[in-house]
Amino acid sequence: MDSVKHSAEVIVDLTKMHYHMVNDRLSRYDPAVLVLAAFGGTLVYTKVVHLYRKSEDPILKRLGAYVFSLLRKIPSVRDKIEKELSAEKPKLIESIHKDDKDRQFIATLPISPLSQESILELADKYEKYNTFNIDGGRVSGAVYTNRHAEHVALLGKIYEKYAFSNPLHPDVFPGARKMEAELIRMVLNLYNGPEDSSGSVTSGGTESIIMACFSYRNRAHSMGIENPVILAGKTAHAAFDKAAHLCGMRLRHVPVDENNRVDLKAMEKLIDSNVCVLVGSAPNFPSGTVDPIPEIAKLGEKYGIPVHVDACLGGFMIPFMNDAGYLLPVFDFRNPGVTSISCDTHKYGCTPKGSSIVMYRSKELHHFQYFSCPDWCGGIYATPTIAGSRAGANTAVAWATLLSFGRDEYVRRCAQIVKHTRMLAEKIKTIPYVKPYGSSDVSLVAFSGNGVNIYEVSDKMMKLGWNLNTLQNPSAIHICLTINQAREEVVDQFVADLKTTCEEVAAAGNEKPNHGMAAMYGMAAQVPKSVVDEVIALYIDATYSAPPGNMN
């Protein structure tokens, strides 16, 4: 006890001594200076903390972006950037309207109604703007079914019955409500959801992902976590970036291995008390690789962190792969650590666009997604997703599609698609100018350049009628196979065209591209992100613009 008392006395004496030393030094300065210094220091500290908590980007990258934002305020720099952007605007508008043959544009509501024949004629003309042969297998992803007439006719009849239905009013539209409940339960059962599992229909994969992240943010807040973090592979879909932005969260990217699978050791090292959800993709969008879901689920159990499986792309492939003869590790609720899954019905489920399912292991987790305003003067307002009113017709045609296909048809399509995906992946390996990127685990084949500019290859393939997806970090392209590409003649034609195109690009040498995707991605790699954001904004603006030239 005496030694403890002595130590305490020494600490007190040292504290007093340093207090008097600091006080003596500060007494030489004007009090106003000290107040200003304290105020300024607090502002600097607050700014640094804000920059640190704003994102998970490296601090030097964030500081660089901040410095560039200051430089942009210099008139000469601002004028230079605006001049360059102004020059790009007409090019973007022209590129958007290149297939608009008549350059007419309806900008005002007609005084008198157009006849049904005139409206159908216009719709038919607009539909013919498309120059890509979708049914011939020339488009990567986008349309995941073969649109056969009998199925389209069924959807038309269903849509006619439910065109004005709205599940927000289950008492007015009980049939639409029942369809929604049955659609959710069918998909939950595909993913081996337990008895207490629950889910919602959303407008697409992005909304499903946002809803899951929103739920985990709310759960984190209820547990006292003020700055929740999403932990996901760098190959996770950009919808997680969007979710982090909208929900006021941070996204921490995990490195991946040579096959683009999440590095489990790196993921575990990045876990801290702020992480509110671990994410695995089945498969990821860039390269089609399936992350090690069972191992990620075990990490979630070990640290008590929820695990979300993003199965948006492969949602109606992976549940049928075992039956189709292609074994996958367990990816669904059979893993105890998996707490939620997103699955797009409007991809390989072959439903019309506008439907996806977000699923939860329990209703308790699902409740974190709900929003309610019980004291609004317009009455109690409550919704399960972002939307208030929802298109009951979208759910109805999705419900009808699943019932009209049945499990056997989905298994048949899965077997056909995976077979031709792996066939294409093997044949591409014979082309010396490209090399595989990631692993073609489900329905996607990605590859990068081997001595050629892969974006130049993509541009030339587009001229041959192939619409492919361009990737970056690293530079690559992929083709997402649907039932439309699942034919040997399509695979062989793609390989032949790719080989010829690569040879042409290789023969052209290192000539710097000044057009198309090659030029755009080349520019994106050299200029600050904020400038790229402005170019993207111009592009999106162009999609809403009237065509250049004559207009009504």
Side-chain angles (χ1 to χ4, degrees):
M1 287 295 294
D2 289 340
S3 61
V4 172
K5 182 179 179 182
H6 177 70
S7 297
E9 289 174 348
V10 170
I11 292 171
V12 169
D13 289 340
L14 286 172
T15 303
K16 287 180 178 179
M17 182 181 70
H18 284 93
Y19 169 79
H20 290 302
M21 286 175 59
V22 172
N23 193 49
D24 181 60
R25 287 180 179 273
L26 291 178
S27 66
R28 303 170 192 175
Y29 297 95
D30 189 300
V33 172
L34 294 177
V35 171
L36 289 173
F39 182 70
T42 302
L43 284 178
V44 170
Y45 171 78
T46 304
K47 189 67 177 179
V48 169
V49 169
H50 174 73
L51 284 172
Y52 175 74
R53 291 180 176 173
K54 188 176 181 180
S55 78
E56 289 288 321
D57 287 338
I59 192 67
L60 289 178
K61 182 177 179 181
R62 282 180 268 169
L63 285 172
Y66 178 65
V67 170
F68 180 73
S69 70
L70 296 177
L71 289 175
R72 288 200 61 173
K73 295 178 181 178
I74 299 173
S76 59
V77 176
R78 184 182 64 241
D79 293 345
K80 171 74 172 173
I81 293 173
E82 288 180 357
K83 182 179 179 182
E84 294 292 332
L85 292 175
S86 296
E88 288 300 314
K89 185 175 180 180
K91 297 177 188 176
L92 291 171
I93 292 175
E94 186 58 44
S95 70
I96 285 293
H97 293 282
K98 66 181 184 300
D99 297 316
D100 188 344
K101 300 172 180 64
D102 53 44
R103 299 296 172 107
Q104 303 296 304
F105 192 76
I106 301 172
T108 56
L109 192 66
I111 303 289
S112 302
L114 299 183
S115 66
Q116 288 193 15
E117 291 77 14
S118 297
I119 296 170
L120 289 170
E121 184 181 337
L122 268 176
D124 184 60
K125 182 168 66 173
Y126 289 2
E127 198 274 335
K128 289 177 181 176
Y129 285 172
N130 174 42
T131 58
F132 290 102
N133 185 356
I134 295 172
D135 295 328
R138 292 285 176 139
V139 175
S140 170
V143 178
Y144 290 80
T145 189
N146 46 4
R147 302 185 295 183
H148 57 85
E150 184 180 344
H151 182 55
V152 173
L154 169 66
L155 298 183
K157 292 173 183 176
I158 295 292
Y159 193 91
E160 185 178 340
K161 292 179 182 294
Y162 290 90
F164 297 98
S165 64
N166 181 0
L168 181 65
H169 304 287
D171 50 344
V172 181
F173 305 105
R177 180 214 59 78
K178 185 176 182 179
M179 286 175 166
E180 186 171 56
E182 289 181 347
L183 175 63
I184 293 166
R185 185 50 56 183
M186 281 190 279
V187 179
L188 276 166
N189 285 334
L190 273 181
Y191 281 83
N192 295 288
E195 185 178 347
D196 191 44
S197 60
S198 187
S200 294
V201 175
T202 70
S203 61
T206 292
E207 188 185 354
S208 287
I209 287 169
I210 291 171
M211 287 290 88
C213 293
F214 179 69
S215 296
Y216 293 127
R217 186 208 68 175
N218 291 342
R219 178 180 179 273
H221 284 175
S222 74
M223 298 169 64
I225 300 173
E226 295 182 2
N227 299 293
V229 171
I230 303 164
L231 194 56
K234 71 174 188 177
T235 51
H237 199 279
F240 288 98
D241 293 79
K242 191 172 188 178
H245 174 72
L246 293 174
C247 297
M249 304 168 76
R250 287 183 288 162
L251 175 59
R252 187 174 297 160
H253 281 124
V254 182
V256 294
D257 64 18
E258 66 277 5
N259 286 317
N260 268 359
R261 288 187 177 87
V262 163
D263 184 323
L264 290 164
K265 289 183 179 179
M267 176 172 267
E268 185 166 15
K269 286 180 180 178
L270 290 171
I271 291 174
D272 62 23
S273 59
N274 285 321
V275 173
C276 68
V277 59
L278 308 179
V279 175
S281 302
N284 68 51
F285 175 81
S287 65
T289 301
V290 174
D291 283 330
I293 303 301
E295 290 77 12
I296 295 174
K298 287 176 183 175
L299 271 185
E301 284 189 282
K302 179 179 178 181
Y303 291 96
I305 301 172
V307 172
H308 179 79
V309 176
D310 173 24
C312 287
L313 175 59
F316 262 69
M317 290 284 288
I318 55 176
F320 308 109
M321 284 186 66
N322 286 353
D323 287 348
Y326 299 98
L327 299 182
L328 275 182
V330 177
F331 51 82
D332 57 20
F333 288 116
R334 286 171 292 176
N335 291 296
V338 170
T339 53
S340 60
I341 302 172
S342 49
C343 162
D344 283 3
T345 44
H346 69 193
K347 288 191 174 75
Y348 291 102
C350 301
T351 74
K353 288 297 180 183
S355 77
S356 174
I357 311 292
V358 57
M359 299 170 270
Y360 296 92
R361 174 172 288 278
S362 68
K363 291 182 176 65
E364 180 185 3
L365 279 174
H366 193 192
H367 291 171
F368 284 111
Q369 177 186 295
Y370 296 173
F371 174 84
S372 66
C373 185
D375 53 358
W376 178 43
C377 59
I380 295 175
Y381 178 84
T383 60
T385 60
I386 289 176
S389 290
R390 305 194 299 286
N394 282 5
T395 296
V397 293
W399 170 88
T401 298
L402 268 60
L403 294 179
S404 67
F405 273 47
R407 187 181 183 92
D408 287 349
E409 176 62 11
Y410 284 120
V411 171
R412 185 192 72 79
R413 288 182 175 228
C414 175
Q416 194 173 341
I417 292 167
V418 177
K419 172 187 173 182
H420 288 87
T421 297
R422 300 192 176 183
M423 179 190 299
L424 176 57
E426 287 302 313
K427 290 190 176 187
I428 281 178
K429 290 177 183 177
T430 65
I431 301 174
Y433 299 104
V434 295
K435 52 187 176 183
Y437 173 55
S439 176
S440 298
D441 292 340
V442 185
S443 59
L444 197 149
V445 181
F447 46 94
S448 55
N450 186 24
V452 296
N453 185 324
I454 199 65
Y455 298 136
E456 273 285 285
V457 172
S458 178
D459 286 340
K460 286 185 175 293
M461 289 289 282
M462 184 174 288
K463 290 177 181 177
L464 294 176
W466 297 98
N467 182 264
L468 308 177
N469 296 91
T470 48
L471 316 171
Q472 61 178 343
N473 304 318
S475 303
I477 55 179
H478 80 218
I479 179 169
C480 179
L481 277 76
T482 69
I483 198 67
N484 298 310
Q485 284 90 14
R487 306 193 300 274
E488 193 164 355
E489 62 268 25
V490 176
V491 169
D492 288 343
Q493 187 60 59
F494 181 85
V495 173
D497 286 348
L498 180 61
K499 184 174 183 296
T500 300
T501 297
C502 286
E503 289 170 350
E504 290 176 1
V505 173
N510 295 322
E511 182 179 338
K512 186 176 180 181
N514 60 3
H515 61 278
M517 288 294 175
M520 187 183 79
Y521 278 96
M523 176 273 296
Q526 297 175 42
V527 302
K529 178 182 177 296
S530 60
V531 176
V532 178
D533 285 342
E534 290 192 49
V535 174
I536 292 169
L538 287 177
Y539 176 84
I540 295 174
D541 287 346
T543 65
Y544 297 123
S545 68
N550 296 325
M551 292 177 288
N552 277 346

